[in-house]
Amino acid sequence: MKCGTGERKKMEIELKRALITGITGQDGSYLAEHLLSSGYQVHGIVRRVATRESDDRFKRINHILDRITLHSASLENYASLYQVMTNHEFHECYHLAAQSSVPDSFSDEFTTMETNIKGTQYVLAALRDVQPECRVYFAGSSEMFGQVEEVPQREQTRFHPRSPYGISKVAGFQLARNFREAYGMHCSSGILFNHESPRRGAEFVTRKITSGVARIALGLSSELVLGNLDARRDWGHAADYVGAMTLMLQQDDPDDYVIATGEDHSVRDFCEAAFSCVDLDHSDYVQTDPRFLRPAEVNTLLGDATKARETLGWQPKHTFQDIVREMVEHDLDMWRKYQ
Ligand code: G4F
C-alpha cells in the first residue's frame, strides 16, 4: 500500500510508528528505548533464526519485548522486506542492521558486502516502492574516512576506506544520498564515530578490555591480549548517539551529519583508564599479539560534530571516563557470577 501525504497526515494524529533494522544490537536496543520513551510505537525486523535463539539474540531487548512489535524478515531478501513495508505503515525507518565488525569484514568480505550493500539497497528500494514518505536514517560510519586526509574529520572530508566494512558503508551512504536525490526521499545519514556501552559486543576493543579487566580483577584471568595499542579513536556513548539519529529525522530537510565527541584517545589510554578503575596498572597485564592486527589499519579517527551541534542542537552527555567506568562496573557484576 502506498503511503501518500493524506495517509501520512492521518498517521500524524495516530501514534508515530518507527521501524528499526538491527533492533537486537547495541544501537537498536538504545534507540528502541529512546523512541518508546518519546511515545513512538516501535517495530523491529529480526531474522527468523533470531526468534529461535531468542535468549541470546534478544538479551539487549528482553526488558522491552512486550512493548515492541517484531517482524520476521531478512536483509538478504527483498521480498521479505517488501512484505513488512506493505503490511505496516511507518513514519520513520532506522536502518542500523549490518555486519559491523571491521576484522570480520577482512575474513568474510563477501558476506559483509552482501549484507551491508545489498541489504541497504533492499531496505531503501522497498520503502521507495511501498511508502516513499517514510523518513529514513542510514547508519554511516567514521570508518568511511579510513586513511584520514584531515584531522578532525567533518562532513566534507574525503572518504578513503581501509576495510571491506568501510567500503560497504561508503556504498550504503551513497545509496542513501542517491535515493534522496533521485526519488526525493527523506534519507539522512549519520557518520557516527565509535560509540560504546555495556551492551557493546565482545568483539570490539573497548568491551574486550573492560571484560578482560573485570576478569583479571576477580582472579578469573591473568592477562589481556590485544593488537594495535596506538590506534586512536573518538569514543562516545551509544545512548547519546541514538538521540542524534532521531533528531536527524525531525528536520524539514534530509542531510548527513558527523556525530562525535571531538576527543580522541588511544587503545592504550583506554586500557590505562579501565585498569585504574580497579586500582591495577595496565602495563602489568596487557600483552600484544600480531594476530589481532589488521591487514590495513585506520590509525586515527577524530570527529568534528559542529554541524550536528548547530543544526540539531545535539551534544554528547557522557565523558570518556563515564563510559569506561560504566563498562568496567557492568562487567565486574557480570563476571562475579563465575567467581
Ligand atoms: O573496537 P574496534 O574493533 O572498532 P573499529 O574497528 O574502530 O570499528 C567500530 O567503530 C566504527 C566507527 O568508526 C564502526 F563503524 C564499526 O562498526 C565498529 O563499531 O577497534 C578499534 C581499534 C582498532 O584500531 C583496532 O586495531 O582498536 C584496535 N584494537 C587493538 N586491539 C583492537 C584490538 N580491536 C579489536 N576489535 N580487538 C583487539 O584485540
Side-chain angles (χ1 to χ4, degrees), residues 274-298:
F275 275 94
S276 76
C277 290
V278 291
D279 297 325
L280 294 175
D281 184 338
H282 72 287
S283 57
D284 293 334
Y285 302 96
V286 175
Q287 309 288 331
T288 55
D289 187 321
R291 87 191 138 102
F292 295 116
L293 299 177
R294 298 171 183 186
E297 172 67 296
V298 170

Side-chain angles (χ1 to χ4, degrees), residues 89-327:
E89 290 171 22
F90 303 106
H91 292 83
E92 295 168 15
C93 172
Y94 296 86
H95 177 41
L96 313 183
Q99 192 301 96
S100 62
S101 156
V102 174
D104 287 357
S105 81
F106 283 106
S107 53
D108 189 358
E109 69 209 64
F110 299 102
T111 303
T112 303
M113 295 296 179
E114 283 280 322
T115 308
N116 295 6
I117 303 179
K118 262 196 190 168
T120 301
Q121 188 190 359
Y122 288 168
V123 169
L124 290 169
L127 286 168
R128 176 200 58 202
D129 296 344
V130 184
Q131 36 184 316
E133 301 282 319
C134 177
R135 297 184 171 193
V136 190
Y137 171 82
F138 171 70
S141 162
S142 54
E143 193 68 17
M144 302 191 298
F145 295 122
Q147 183 85 339
V148 297
E149 65 170 32
E150 61 175 343
V151 181
Q153 296 86 52
R154 306 168 295 140
E155 290 78 7
Q156 294 78 15
T157 305
R158 205 156 42 151
F159 297 144
H160 181 154
R162 298 262 288 168
S163 63
Y165 169 81
I167 293 166
S168 74
K169 283 290 173 182
V170 172
F173 178 89
Q174 299 293 2
L175 276 164
R177 188 152 70 182
N178 187 245
F179 273 66
R180 179 161 85 207
E181 293 173 358
Y183 308 114
M185 289 172 65
H186 195 294
C187 299
S188 295
S189 294
I191 306 176
L192 269 53
F193 282 62
N194 297 51
H195 44 288
E196 317 298 312
S197 77
R199 298 186 195 172
R200 192 58 149 146
E203 65 274 30
F204 299 98
V205 77
T206 55
R207 191 73 199 286
K208 183 171 169 185
I209 295 169
T210 59
S211 182
V213 165
R215 285 172 53 79
I216 290 168
L218 296 168
L220 297 168
S221 177
S222 55
E223 60 173 18
L224 173 62
V225 186
L226 298 170
N228 180 7
L229 301 182
D230 297 318
R232 302 188 72 82
R233 290 290 183 273
D234 179 332
W235 279 296
H237 196 296
D240 290 340
Y241 285 31
V242 299
M245 299 175 189
T246 62
L247 287 170
M248 285 177 217
L249 297 203
Q250 312 317 310
Q251 304 306 302
D252 288 341
D253 299 313
D255 208 343
D256 307 318
Y257 299 88
V258 160
I259 302 298
T261 69
E263 206 183 284
D264 69 332
H265 298 269
S266 67
V267 172
R268 187 179 282 98
D269 295 338
F270 197 104
C271 289
E272 195 178 334
F275 275 94
S276 76
C277 290
V278 291
D279 297 325
L280 294 175
D281 184 338
H282 72 287
S283 57
D284 293 334
Y285 302 96
V286 175
Q287 309 288 331
T288 55
D289 187 321
R291 87 191 138 102
F292 295 116
L293 299 177
R294 298 171 183 186
E297 172 67 296
V298 170
N299 293 318
T300 183
L301 288 174
L302 175 63
D304 175 356
T306 303
K307 180 176 168 184
R309 199 169 52 245
E310 289 178 353
T311 313
L312 306 176
W314 176 85
Q315 54 184 22
K317 296 190 183 79
H318 294 77
T319 66
F320 176 73
Q321 284 301 336
D322 293 338
I323 299 166
V324 178
R325 183 158 290 282
E326 184 188 348
M327 291 176 71

